[in-house]
Amino acid sequence: MSSIHATSLPTGHALREAIRRRERSAEEITRAALHDAESLQGPLHAYIRLLPERALERARRIDGLVRAGEPLGTLAGVPVAVKDLFCLQGEFTTCGSRILENFRSPYSATVVEKLEAAGAIIIGKTNMDEFAMGSSCENSAFFPTRNPWDTTRVPGGSSGGSASTVGARTVPIALGTDTGGSIREPASFCNIVGVKPTYGRVSRYGMIAFASSLDQAGPMTADVRDAADVLEVIAGYDPMDSTSVDVAVPPYASELPDDLHGVRIGIVAEFEASIAQGDAALAALYKQAYKDLERLGAQLVEVHLPHAQYGLATYYLIAPAECSSNLARYDGARYGRRVDGDGDVYAMFDRTRAAGFGDEVKRRIILGTYALSTGYYDAYYVRAQKVRTLIKSDFDSAFAECDVIACPAVSCPPFELGAKSQDPLAMYLMDYFTIPMSLAGIPALSIPAGYVSDLPVGLQIVAPAFHEGRMLAVAHAYEQATQHAAARIPAVRSEGARAS
Ligand code: GLN
């Protein structure tokens, strides 16, 4: 086993402190993470590509700064993985798709530049559902990723590779994206912290678009402190993203309390009715989580989100509509793959798209094109936008009565590979509890909340727009009091330890 895991599963802030105190070098930590990623690739398949030369070169640069006594960034020397839809200049970016298999990014995403400017060492690009469409990572054009807590199960999706590698603690930090739940659901499945920031909080520049009015990048981390550090680094105004909002970024990491006195936490009546009809063990786990929040001093108040039940139907009109327009650019002329049209440009378009996109992507393009077509536009797309407004105003009313909302992140623990891949609707239902927040554009996170049949489950904490600090504070107090993730080691790690 690599030394990085000899004693415990480290956090990013612990590694950073070890580097600052010169107990360990960034190069040694990076080598260990790369070695670990390689040895777990067989059981997990979390990475599409590792970047050893680039990573080691940057790690040595950090070690040089340490030796020279230069100031170090927040993430100096910390190994990080990024979902393979963030552009990294000169490197391949596939978005989990054959159509971009050979695409090299001409520039880097703003969030990637910010991470590297803070000293983070990007060790690789992680697997994902093709174009971020999916909830299990089985829609990757290359291979499915597996869950470090049980390798017969999915890690969630679409940021499944990022969740799996952080869940296994190969790296303490990864970047994911969340359009309808793609950070929060895999975070729940892999027992890590996953944060979807407010829409506009984090730049989307250099991030391959799925549904532009919903897509947000965010941290997937070992603990809340790491999430706060990463959010502080990647958040903020970017003139390269027209939807980026110019609101000051507070020092999230220095505002993490240990109790919740004076905090009003909303419990959503409609969600509780729905969870009560499902798995009894899961319902009991969430009840316990609310009790734990109360024990920390919070006051629980009942709130209502009457239109949240329409979230899924609304999302599956808006997201495919935006995707059908965003994905029109993959025509074989400008990006990545091209299949020859025997002299006919339309045949080239058709053949390229037929060969380059997988079934789920094609399904979404067809759904979205239909919803936007003449005669259906008002009936579907415009109505969906109206319902979206109702969902957002439900949250506005709820937040008049509480500071944050606590609710389920998922309706089940991680499921077996293949269990839902033949049934798109069953897969779509995985995001029942996460989609309303995406439609409302508000921040939400998932935090480890315990286990059902030894499988991890996450609790969702939701805040009003631009109140990520409040949400992280509640999550931190809960994490410190419960220590659910710290209490156990993922199965893939204990099997590996036995083998070595
Ligand atoms: N699972 C949802 C979908 O397939 C959400 C995906 C996401 O957040 N990127 O669209």
Side-chain angles (χ1 to χ4, degrees):
M1 278 317 283
S2 56
S3 57
I4 193 172
H5 302 295
T7 48
S8 63
L9 303 177
T11 57
H13 50 93
L15 292 178
R16 176 188 68 203
E17 288 315 308
I19 292 169
R20 275 180 210 271
R21 289 196 301 264
R22 305 191 187 196
E23 291 162 9
R24 308 191 52 189
S25 72
E27 183 175 351
E28 171 212 335
I29 289 171
T30 303
R31 276 191 198 285
L34 284 163
H35 177 268
D36 198 58
E38 248 168 52
S39 45
L40 290 183
Q41 184 68 358
L44 295 181
H45 279 89
Y47 289 86
I48 290 179
R49 200 169 258 107
L50 288 171
L51 303 165
E53 291 85 20
R54 180 192 174 100
L56 289 167
E57 200 257 315
R58 279 167 194 266
R60 285 191 281 268
R61 239 189 271 170
I62 297 290
D63 288 331
L65 295 177
V66 174
R67 277 195 300 276
E70 296 283 336
L72 297 173
T74 312
L75 301 172
V78 178
V80 167
V82 301
K83 187 176 183 176
D84 203 20
L85 54 54
F86 292 102
C87 289
L88 195 53
Q89 191 176 17
E91 305 291 344
F92 290 103
T93 300
T94 69
C95 214
S97 183
R98 294 268 173 223
I99 211 157
L100 286 175
E101 204 167 4
N102 297 316
F103 170 69
R104 277 186 194 265
S105 326
Y107 57 85
S108 286
T110 299
V111 287
V112 162
E113 283 185 345
K114 286 184 164 190
L115 278 182
E116 291 195 325
I121 312 292
I122 297 175
I123 69 152
K125 312 281 297 285
T126 56
N127 197 23
M128 56 182 285
D129 287 299
E130 185 176 6
F131 282 98
M133 297 170 197
S135 302
S136 68
C137 220
E138 293 165 293
N139 291 341
S140 163
F142 307 116
F143 39 75
T145 294
R146 288 162 185 269
N147 191 309
W149 293 83
D150 177 345
T151 53
T152 67
R153 291 174 190 268
V154 302
S158 62
S159 313
S162 288
S164 179
T165 192
V166 175
R169 293 293 194 280
T170 294
V171 290
I173 293 168
L175 277 191
T177 60
D178 190 310
T179 303
S182 278
I183 286 176
R184 291 163 285 162
E185 186 243 19
S188 172
F189 280 11
C190 293
N191 219 21
I192 64 171
V193 176
V195 179
K196 182 201 91 74
T198 308
Y199 184 77
R201 176 81 287 188
V202 173
S203 171
R204 292 182 299 112
Y205 180 70
M207 191 175 114
I208 295 178
F210 161 17
S212 303
S213 78
L214 296 154
D215 299 342
Q216 263 294 287
M220 305 179 77
T221 60
D223 72 359
V224 175
R225 184 164 297 280
D226 278 349
D229 280 338
V230 174
L231 188 61
E232 214 171 302
V233 166
I234 64 173
Y237 178 63
D238 180 9
M240 300 302 280
D241 172 2
S242 62
T243 60
S244 166
V245 181
D246 196 358
V247 174
V249 180
Y252 298 119
S254 57
E255 294 169 0
L256 298 174
D258 285 330
D259 74 64
L260 297 176
H261 288 288
V263 181
R264 293 167 308 161
I265 299 186
I267 305 295
V268 183
E270 292 82 0
F271 286 176
E272 292 315 303
S274 146
I275 207 94
Q277 287 166 18
D279 182 333
L282 187 71
L285 180 146
Y286 283 123
K287 283 235 161 358
Q288 183 59 46
Y290 308 146
K291 269 197 207 136
D292 290 339
L293 292 169
E294 207 169 19
R295 191 165 47 84
L296 285 161
Q299 180 199 345
L300 303 185
V301 294
E302 184 177 275
V303 295
H304 290 273
L305 298 175
H307 298 94
Q309 60 178 311
Y310 306 116
L312 214 60
T314 307
Y315 173 90
Y316 277 96
L317 287 164
I318 293 175
E322 293 183 12
C323 117
S324 83
S325 142
N326 271 325
L327 271 56
R329 76 190 68 175
Y330 305 104
D331 56 6
R334 286 171 290 181
Y335 299 92
R337 186 166 185 175
R338 173 184 303 175
V339 180
D340 194 66
D342 297 322
D344 177 348
V345 72
Y346 290 103
M348 187 272 278
F349 292 163
D350 287 353
R351 289 179 197 170
T352 297
R353 289 166 70 82
F357 290 136
D359 288 349
E360 184 58 31
V361 173
K362 286 177 184 158
R363 186 177 294 121
R364 304 281 180 109
I365 292 173
I366 292 167
L367 278 173
T369 307
Y370 183 82
L372 289 175
S373 56
T374 314
Y376 297 106
Y377 183 87
D378 286 338
Y380 293 121
Y381 185 70
V382 173
R383 267 178 103 181
Q385 293 292 10
K386 289 180 180 165
V387 180
R388 183 175 189 174
T389 303
L390 293 174
I391 291 171
K392 185 186 172 299
S393 45
D394 280 358
F395 279 107
D396 292 342
S397 312
F399 285 126
E401 289 159 46
C402 63
D403 303 305
V404 297
I405 287 171
C407 65
V410 289
S411 51
C412 64
F415 50 89
E416 305 226 317
L417 268 91
K420 296 182 197 288
S421 44
Q422 298 313 312
D423 183 352
L425 200 56
M427 195 69 90
Y428 297 171
L429 279 164
M430 285 299 99
D431 297 303
Y432 185 81
F433 293 120
T434 51
I435 275 177
M437 300 74 183
S438 298
L439 290 167
I442 57 178
L445 61 75
S446 175
I447 176 157
Y451 305 82
V452 168
S453 314
D454 288 330
L455 296 167
V457 171
L459 171 72
Q460 195 174 192
I461 314 277
V462 188
F466 297 101
H467 286 290
E468 283 87 355
R470 211 188 268 182
M471 176 177 95
L472 290 163
V474 171
H476 182 259
Y478 176 74
E479 172 190 73
Q480 294 308 302
T482 55
Q483 299 285 341
H484 289 300
R488 295 195 195 187
I489 295 206
V492 77
R493 185 63 63 201
S494 39
E495 283 157 18
R498 269 202 300 279
S500 64

